[in-house]
Structure formats: C-alpha cells, structure tokens
Amino acid sequence: MSISFAFVGAHADEPFFKKTLDTVAETSPGIVLVGESVDVDVDEPSITIRWSIGACGEDSMLPGIQNLVQFDSDHVLDVHEARLYPFDTYMLSSTIRAANADNQTVPIRKIATIDVTSSFDVITTDLESYSNPENGTQEQASRDIDMHVRRPNEARLFTLLLFAVSWVLTHVTIGHVLLARRVSSLRSLLPHLISSGAILIAIPQLRASMPDAPGFDGVLIGERLSPGFGS
C-alpha cells in the first residue's frame, strides 16, 4: 500500500515555470531568465543563482541562445538580521541586462526563480528598468529583481520547539542541583550526576539539530541557550 501511494499524483502538478512562460509567450514574447537554483549562504554571505535562458516566441529565438544555456550569478547578501534566527529575513536587489554578440541590448521580458529551497522561502519580483552605462551612452533596457528570503514556517516552528525543549532541560538540570544539595550519600547523588551529565551532552545536540543552525556568537537564540551549558 505504501509503494502504491508513491505513484499517486505523480503527474498532477504542472512544471513550476509553465504558467509564467505561457503568459510571456502570449503577451510579450522575448527572453526569459529562469532561476532554477537559488543557493543562500548566510556564512559566506552570498546568494548564488543558476539561471537558464529561455526564449518565448519565434521572433525571440536568437542565434546561439537555446533553452539549455545556463550561467551563474553571485550576489553579496546583507546579513545584519542574521542574529534574529530563525526569524531572520534577507533582501536582495539587483539589475540584469542581456546583450548579444554585437553588444546590442536584448530585452528581458521576465525573471522568475524557484520559491522554495532546502532552507529558505524565496519571493522574487521583477520590473522593467533602464541602466546607464559608464561610458555615458544612451540608456539601455534592463530588468530589476527584488528577492525576499525568509525561513519557512515549518523550520521556524521546529526551531522553537527545540529551543523550548532545551530550556526545559536547563531547568531540569537546575532542579537536579537543588536536589543534590539535600542528599548526603554518594549513592543518592549519583543519579543526579548522571542525569545532569546526559542533559549537558544533549543540549548542544539539540542546538545543532536546528535547521541550518548558525554559530553561537552573535545569535540571540544561541545566547539564550547558553545557560544550559553553565548549569
């Protein structure tokens, strides 16, 4: 029964970018950039996007441009909100311009990226714009993109649950210390020592189990978990 469920809905969902490409082909055929991969690296910090170049409409099928042509673009990420994990959000704004072999501007009609990665949700909006070249020539058509990157609600909930469990274990350890002060024999003290030692080992493992867990330095949730290590 489990194996049979694996095939249910296998063909129910249409390709992610199909609706976007169909809309461009019907309204304003031209070059489309599809971000098939979005790699968010907070430690770097950077966002790497793997773009695929698509052309919608017969007039836009330029020589040398095919649907399988890909390139990567790296963007510096502002991480001043990284310490708010898991409620950290990031914004990225960039401008992309396409040109042919003769350095003539090729209009980009649409820019779209995937909206879900392994650790983040990505919301991308694009807008037609014009860029000013450094040599002072005529303005050239380009396209602006704004990316809003946030952690999924499921990841936030899971992190908060682990955070709550760590605090409970911290208070359990404090309780062991208070109870151990009232016993006199080593045999009665041994269970408190074993339990406290196991909790001190478990708390860092819980911290490391948080999705895409950052380091302890400069992270509010890491600072709040620190009492568990000192108990």
Side-chain angles (χ1 to χ4, degrees), residues 95 97 129-142:
T95 300
R97 170 181 170 265
S129 64
Y130 294 89
S131 59
N132 295 320
E134 296 179 356
N135 54 14
T137 58
Q138 186 178 2
E139 292 184 344
Q140 299 171 338
S142 58

Side-chain angles (χ1 to χ4, degrees), residues 30-33 53-54 62 65 71 95-111 129 131 140-143:
I31 301 299
V32 178
L33 291 184
I53 302 178
L62 303 178
I65 297 181
F71 67 95
T95 300
I96 298 180
R97 170 181 170 265
N100 57 19
D102 299 327
N103 200 27
Q104 297 177 347
T105 301
V106 179
I108 302 176
R109 300 302 184 186
K110 184 66 178 177
I111 296 179
S129 64
S131 59
Q140 299 171 338
S142 58
R143 202 159 189 91

Side-chain angles (χ1 to χ4, degrees), residues 10-22 34 36 114:
H11 302 287
D13 297 333
E14 62 182 10
F16 180 77
F17 296 105
K18 182 179 185 300
K19 184 178 296 184
T20 299
L21 297 176
D22 290 342
V34 176
E36 297 182 343
I114 59 175

